[in-house]
Amino acid sequence: KATVSKGIQEKEYTALMISGKLHKHLHDVDVKAQKIMDCFIKNAEKTAPDKATHQMEWVGHMNSARNSAEEVINHRLIYI
């Protein structure tokens, strides 16, 4: 399965590159990824502990939100 998937990805990459659409595609993926990240961070800020009094908990909470967003981005946008 991995070799079939890799072959398809290489063909899609080549097709985008030849057609001159690769940069637009990468830009679109980047914009979508940033929107997902922003959504996760905004939601995390609503439930985060107080940054001034619980700094380590706040950092952990925000790192967890960022990690979750990266997993979603990788699963939905990058490794499809």
Side-chain angles (χ1 to χ4, degrees):
K1 181 178 179 180
T3 56
V4 171
S5 178
K6 185 177 181 181
I8 291 170
Q9 290 172 351
E10 288 175 3
K11 288 179 183 178
E12 289 176 8
Y13 172 82
T14 302
L16 287 168
M17 184 91 148
I18 290 171
S19 68
K21 297 179 182 178
L22 180 61
H23 291 289
K24 180 181 179 343
H25 172 72
L26 293 175
H27 175 73
D28 292 345
V29 169
D30 185 52
V31 168
K32 290 176 186 175
Q34 191 59 52
K35 285 181 181 179
I36 292 171
M37 183 65 74
D38 291 345
C39 182
F40 269 81
I41 296 302
K42 284 181 184 178
N43 287 334
E45 288 172 344
K46 293 176 186 175
T47 60
D50 182 47
K51 185 177 179 180
T53 58
H54 298 91
Q55 293 176 356
M56 293 305 292
E57 290 85 355
W58 184 87
V59 169
H61 183 79
M62 298 307 285
N63 282 343
S64 178
R66 188 191 73 236
N67 291 338
S68 296
E70 287 175 355
E71 283 186 37
V72 169
I73 290 165
N74 286 338
H75 180 71
R76 291 188 182 173
L77 298 177
I78 309 298
Y79 302 118
I80 53 172

